[in-house]
């Protein structure tokens, strides 16, 4: 039974170790859940948009859906934290407390068993000592009896020796009887304690250990269930998170995203015109014409080979100058007729008409089709955006101004509500002076009214800019509509967006044009003579002019105006040294001169 006690000791220790092992498992699972939730939150934080309140980035449905998915994922991470917290409180914490109590109870029961065993061992030792003493006294008594009998049979022994041996025998016999009685008493006591130990004390201790172990098993079962319940409780919320992700995926609308892209990047500029046909067979036709019909060429119409139709320094190409092989100078157009062998007449055009059309078109200022991209990147390259958004394309400028007007109206409404509240409070103070001093509200009321006046001025200024933009966009639309109906090319100069000027003073006189051409040509040629100045301007702000086709200027610098703003926000100007280029209209103060013929 002692060995069984030791076995029970080992078993109960194993039970507690297993309990602590499962508690360690739960702790590691909690750490995994916490790390998982933390990593999910970091992931959400990493991909969440970091926008300021004034951010006007278009909200595409795909982006909104992704942001909603991130929010649902953040809620999902919160549920993982709930699982970890529930496991820590309901399972791990309970296991650790119960393990401590279990160790204390087991220690108490084992101590009781050891005490009972020690008491039984003590009784056995007492009984064994009395037994050994009784045995020793019996041997001594036997020796005394043998000595007495030997002396009693010895005739030579004296009577005194015989009496002494008899007294010794009686003494040993008496001591043996006393030890016998003591041994009998100790044996009876030991048998009683041993019976009590094995039938009462030890079974009671074993029963307590058994109950303790069964409670440990029940606690493990409850913890297993709590472990699963912690996960099951959050399943409905996790399901809602997943349903939210599915709804976010279904909310993606490709047509709405496309419309947002259109609204975001719609500039309002006109598309470029048609490219012209360039006839490189002029020399061949000219040779044939010279061989068939002799046409004297006027020396006055010959163009110097050192100078082209336009000056190279005035070329305003966005990505650099556009080199092209120069065509040989040709004479103005002439119309000839030729007769067939049967006498019929038919018209023959020499190479001169083609050259005439080409040269007449080349007198126009070269268009820069990609100039829109220059202005789109204007706000990035030139620095801070302008107050009137003149650096933006017309359509985007109109949207920005409308948004600013709406914001100013909201601020004005807030100030108006605040003014009404202050007036009401002032009336209350005047009627009930004990509530407050009415004069204390006057500074705040004055400040509010000043803010309202300032906001009204800002609204009026922005509305004026908006009206200007809307007027230019409407005029551009009308001009484009008229151009589509007529499909003719005017003789004026082109602005960077393809608009034309009708000022005759800005035209370069060339040979008379006989036929209108339906296409527009882009070339690098300009007139031999510089364009006349139609006014002057003063730079209000400095402009770096890093882009090709622009003109740098300093604040306060005086420039000549050679072409007005055609609604695109750019004015063509020239310095005193002859350098030309485009400058932002909003950066200059323009003064136009009527009927000006030159600088």
């Amino acid at each position: 039974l002692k060995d069984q006690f030791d076995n029970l000791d080992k078993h109960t220790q194993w039970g507690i170790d297993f309990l602590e092992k499962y508690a360690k498992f739960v702790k590691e699972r909690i750490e995994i859940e916490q790390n998982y939730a933390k990593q999910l939150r970091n992931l959400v934080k990493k991909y969440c948009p970091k926008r300021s309140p004034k951010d006007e980035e278009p909200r595409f449905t795909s982006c909104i859906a992704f942001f909603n998915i991130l929010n649902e994922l953040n809620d999902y991470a919160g549920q993982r934290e709930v699982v970890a917290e529930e496991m820590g409180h309901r399972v791990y914490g309970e296991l650790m407390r119960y393990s401590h109590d279990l160790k204390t109870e087991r220690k108490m029961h084992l101590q009781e068993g050891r005490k009972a065993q020690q008491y039984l061992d003590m009784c056995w030792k007492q009984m064994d000592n009395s037994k050994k003493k009784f045995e020793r006294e019996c041997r001594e008594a036997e020796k005394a009896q043998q000595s007495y009998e030997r002396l009693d049979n010895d005739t030579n022994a004296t009577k005194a020796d015989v009496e002494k041996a008899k007294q010794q025998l009686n003494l040993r016999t008496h001591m043996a009887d006393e030890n016998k009685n003591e041994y009998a008493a100790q044996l009876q006591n030991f048998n009683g304690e041993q019976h009590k130990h094995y039938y009462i004390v030890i079974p009671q201790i074993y029963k307590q250990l058994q109950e303790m172990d069964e409670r440990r098993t029940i606690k493990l079962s409850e913890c297993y269930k709590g472990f699963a319940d912690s996960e099951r409780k959050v399943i409905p919320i996790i399901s809602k998170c997943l349903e939210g992700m599915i709804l976010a995926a279904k909310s993606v609308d490709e047509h709405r995203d496309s419309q947002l892209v259109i609204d975001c990047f719609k500039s309002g500029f006109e598309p470029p015109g048609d490219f012209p046909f360039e006839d490189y067979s002029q020399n061949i036709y000219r040779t044939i014409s010279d061989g068939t019909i002799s046409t004297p060429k006027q020396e006055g119409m010959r163009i110097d080979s050192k100078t082209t139709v336009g000056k190279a320094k005035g070329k305003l190409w966005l990505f650099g100058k556009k080199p092209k092989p120069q065509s040989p100078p040709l004479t103005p157009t002439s119309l000839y007729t030729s007769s067939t062998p049967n006498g019929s007449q038919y018209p023959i055009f020499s190479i001169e008409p083609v050259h005439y059309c080409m040269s007449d078109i080349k007198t126009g200022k070269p268009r820069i089709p990609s100039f829109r991209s220059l202005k789109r990147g204007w706000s990035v390259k030139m620095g801070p955006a302008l107050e009137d958004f003149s650096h933006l394309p017309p359509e985007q400028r109109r949207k920005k101004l409308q948004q600013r007007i709406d914001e100013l109206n909201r601020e004005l409404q807030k100030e108006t509500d605040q003014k009404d509240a202050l007036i009401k409070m002032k009336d209350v103070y005047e009627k009930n002076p004990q509530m407050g001093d009415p004069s204390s509200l006057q500074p705040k009321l004055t400040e509010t009214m000043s803010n309202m006046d300032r906001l009204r001025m800002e609204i009026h200024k922005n509305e004026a800019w908006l009206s200007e933009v809307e007027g230019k966009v409407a005029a551009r639309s009308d001009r484009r509509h008229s151009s589509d109906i007529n499909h003719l090319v005017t003789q004026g100069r082109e602005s960077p967006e393809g608009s034309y000027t009708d000022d005759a003073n800005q035209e370069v006189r060339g040979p008379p044009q006989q036929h209108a051409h339906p296409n527009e040509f882009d070339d690098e040629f300009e007139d031999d003579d510089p364009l006349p100045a139609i006014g002057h301007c003063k730079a209000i702000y400095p402009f770096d002019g890093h882009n090709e086709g622009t003109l740098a200027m300093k604040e306060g610098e005086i420039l000549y105006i050679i072409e007005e703003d055609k609604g695109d926000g750019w004015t063509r100007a020239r310095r005193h040294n002859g350098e030309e280029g485009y400058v932002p209209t909003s950066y200059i103060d323009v003064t136009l001169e009527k009927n000006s013929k030159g600088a």
Side-chain angles (χ1 to χ4, degrees):
L1 291 178
K2 183 177 180 182
D3 295 338
Q4 299 304 319
F5 183 83
D6 293 339
N7 291 333
L8 290 178
D9 184 6
K10 294 178 181 179
H11 175 74
T12 53
Q13 182 62 42
W14 171 86
I16 294 176
D17 293 341
F18 182 78
L19 185 72
E20 292 180 345
K21 183 178 180 180
Y22 179 71
K24 185 178 180 181
F25 162 77
V26 175
K27 180 180 179 181
E28 292 181 0
R29 170 65 188 277
I30 293 172
E31 292 176 354
I32 290 174
E33 292 288 348
Q34 291 175 345
N35 293 333
Y36 180 49
K38 182 179 180 180
Q39 291 177 3
L40 285 179
R41 289 193 182 276
N42 291 337
L43 182 66
V44 171
K45 183 178 179 181
K46 178 180 178 181
Y47 286 94
C48 270
K50 299 178 181 179
R51 299 189 305 271
S52 60
K54 296 183 179 180
D55 192 356
E56 299 178 1
E57 181 183 356
R59 298 299 302 275
F60 299 103
T61 56
S62 57
C63 297
I64 296 175
F66 178 63
F67 298 155
N68 291 336
I69 289 175
L70 289 178
N71 291 332
E72 296 294 344
L73 187 60
N74 190 57
D75 295 340
Y76 177 80
Q79 295 307 309
R80 304 319 307 177
E81 291 177 348
V82 171
V83 171
E85 183 178 358
E86 184 72 12
M87 287 184 178
H89 175 71
R90 183 176 177 181
V91 181
Y92 179 73
E94 187 67 22
L95 284 174
M96 296 307 294
R97 287 192 297 270
Y98 187 75
S99 175
H100 181 269
D101 296 341
L102 202 63
K103 289 179 179 179
T104 303
E105 183 180 359
R106 173 180 174 274
K107 183 179 180 180
M108 179 184 68
H109 294 325
L110 292 179
Q111 286 179 351
E112 290 178 355
R114 291 189 181 94
K115 287 181 180 179
Q117 188 66 36
Q118 290 175 0
Y119 179 73
L120 183 62
D121 293 341
M122 182 187 67
C123 292
W124 181 83
K125 288 181 179 180
Q126 291 178 354
M127 184 272 297
D128 186 62
N129 291 334
S130 62
K131 177 182 177 181
K132 291 178 179 180
K133 188 176 180 181
F134 171 63
E135 181 182 5
R136 186 175 58 254
E137 291 298 329
C138 287
R139 285 197 297 270
E140 293 294 332
E142 290 177 357
K143 290 179 181 180
Q145 184 177 3
Q146 292 176 1
S147 178
Y148 172 73
E149 291 177 355
R150 181 175 55 81
L151 291 175
D152 187 37
N153 296 324
D154 188 6
T155 57
N156 298 322
T158 61
K159 187 177 180 178
D161 292 337
V162 173
E163 286 296 330
K164 183 177 180 181
K166 185 178 180 179
Q167 292 177 358
Q168 186 69 23
L169 175 62
N170 293 331
L171 177 64
R172 293 294 180 185
T173 302
H174 177 73
M175 292 181 63
D177 291 338
E178 289 182 355
N179 289 326
K180 180 180 178 180
N181 294 332
E182 183 179 359
Y183 168 66
Q186 292 294 335
L187 180 60
Q188 185 179 2
N189 180 57
F190 172 75
N191 290 332
E193 293 295 334
Q194 180 175 261
H195 184 275
K196 181 180 178 182
H197 175 80
Y198 288 110
Y199 289 95
I200 299 176
V201 177
I202 291 299
Q204 184 68 26
I205 295 175
Y206 286 173
K207 184 178 180 180
Q208 293 174 353
L209 291 174
Q210 179 181 356
E211 292 175 354
M212 180 192 71
D213 192 66
E214 289 176 354
R215 289 197 305 271
R216 176 190 63 82
T217 306
I218 294 173
K219 178 60 69 173
L220 279 174
S221 176
E222 293 176 354
C223 292
Y224 294 159
K225 183 179 178 181
F227 185 85
D229 289 339
S230 301
E231 187 82 23
R232 187 173 59 182
K233 284 182 179 180
V234 300
I235 288 179
I237 303 178
I238 291 178
S239 299
K240 290 182 180 179
C241 294
L242 298 178
E243 291 175 1
M245 294 181 185
I246 295 175
L247 292 177
K250 292 181 179 179
S251 66
V252 177
D253 188 353
E254 65 277 8
H255 302 294
R256 182 180 176 186
D257 288 353
S258 299
Q259 188 61 39
L260 285 174
V261 174
I262 294 172
D263 296 339
C264 179
F265 298 109
K266 184 178 180 181
S267 63
F269 291 129
E270 296 179 5
D274 298 335
F275 280 90
F277 174 76
E278 300 183 9
D279 192 357
Y280 295 102
S281 62
Q282 299 178 21
N283 293 333
I284 302 175
Y285 293 150
R286 179 183 176 189
T287 304
I288 297 174
S289 178
D290 291 344
T292 56
I293 301 176
S294 177
T295 304
K297 297 182 174 62
Q298 299 178 7
E299 294 296 326
M301 298 301 295
R302 189 177 301 277
I303 301 175
D304 187 2
S305 60
K306 295 182 179 180
T307 59
T308 62
V309 180
K311 291 187 177 181
K313 67 178 181 179
K315 299 171 187 175
L316 297 176
W317 290 93
L318 178 60
F319 300 107
K321 298 181 180 180
K322 181 180 179 184
K324 284 186 178 181
Q326 299 180 358
S327 302
L330 300 175
T331 60
T333 182
S334 299
L335 180 62
Y336 301 92
T337 60
S338 177
S339 299
T340 60
N342 59 8
S344 62
Q345 301 290 329
Y346 65 93
I348 298 178
F349 289 94
S350 68
I351 192 61
E352 284 78 12
V354 179
H355 169 66
Y356 166 71
C357 294
M358 296 293 293
S359 62
D360 180 72
I361 294 172
K362 290 175 182 176
T363 57
K365 177 180 66 61
R367 172 189 287 180
I368 309 176
S370 57
F371 205 75
R372 293 186 297 275
S373 62
L374 167 67
K375 293 194 296 181
R376 287 172 184 167
W378 175 255
S379 61
V380 178
K381 296 181 180 179
M382 74 171 220
L386 301 177
E387 183 183 6
D388 59 351
F389 300 111
S390 60
H391 60 289
L392 297 176
E395 186 67 21
Q396 300 299 322
R397 183 185 180 193
R398 182 187 64 79
K399 291 174 61 177
K400 291 285 186 179
L401 289 173
Q402 187 63 49
Q403 291 175 0
R404 180 185 287 175
I405 290 173
D406 295 340
E407 292 178 0
L408 292 174
N409 284 327
R410 288 192 292 267
E411 294 180 6
L412 179 60
Q413 184 62 38
K414 291 181 181 179
E415 295 292 336
T416 303
D417 296 341
Q418 186 176 1
K419 185 197 72 171
D420 296 340
L422 290 173
I423 292 175
K424 290 181 181 180
M425 188 178 295
K426 185 177 180 181
D427 294 340
V428 172
Y429 285 176
E430 289 176 352
K431 294 179 182 179
N432 301 299
Q434 66 275 9
M435 296 183 66
D437 185 10
S439 60
S440 62
L441 301 176
Q442 189 61 35
K444 185 64 176 179
L445 188 61
T446 304
E447 180 183 357
T448 303
M449 297 182 69
S450 175
N451 293 336
M452 292 173 61
D453 294 338
R454 176 181 57 80
L455 291 173
R456 290 193 184 99
M457 291 178 62
E458 289 290 332
I459 293 173
H460 179 72
K461 180 171 62 174
N462 285 272
E463 287 178 347
W465 288 336
L466 181 62
S467 301
E468 177 187 355
V469 173
E470 291 177 346
K472 289 182 179 181
V473 172
R476 184 184 300 276
S477 177
D478 295 340
R479 183 169 65 251
R480 179 182 179 186
H481 181 67
S482 176
S483 176
D484 292 340
I485 294 176
N486 297 329
H487 200 61
L488 297 175
V489 178
T490 61
Q491 296 180 359
R493 292 190 169 273
E494 297 179 356
S495 71
E497 282 68 40
S499 58
Y500 299 89
T501 176
D502 298 329
D503 191 353
N505 295 329
Q506 300 182 39
E507 295 184 10
V508 178
R509 299 296 181 182
Q513 183 176 3
Q514 294 182 1
H515 302 282
H517 198 281
N519 295 327
E520 298 176 0
F521 291 79
D522 289 332
D523 209 334
E524 78 271 20
F525 296 107
E526 289 187 352
D527 299 326
D528 291 334
D529 298 329
L531 294 175
I534 60 175
H536 64 277
C537 65
K538 181 179 180 181
I540 305 176
Y541 308 105
F543 175 54
D544 51 16
H546 290 330
N547 297 299
E548 188 72 22
T550 58
L551 181 65
M553 62 182 181
K554 300 180 180 179
E555 184 177 356
E557 184 178 358
I558 304 297
L559 304 173
Y560 293 118
I561 301 298
I562 59 177
E563 187 175 309
E564 294 184 64
D565 184 1
K566 299 304 178 183
D568 50 24
W570 295 90
T571 301
R572 192 174 179 185
R574 180 171 59 232
R575 280 203 179 91
H576 296 281
N577 58 4
E579 185 180 358
E580 298 179 3
Y582 286 94
V583 296
T585 305
S586 58
Y587 275 45
I588 57 176
D589 184 12
V590 180
T591 302
L592 297 178
E593 301 173 3
K594 295 183 179 180
N595 300 325
S596 176
K597 298 299 181 182

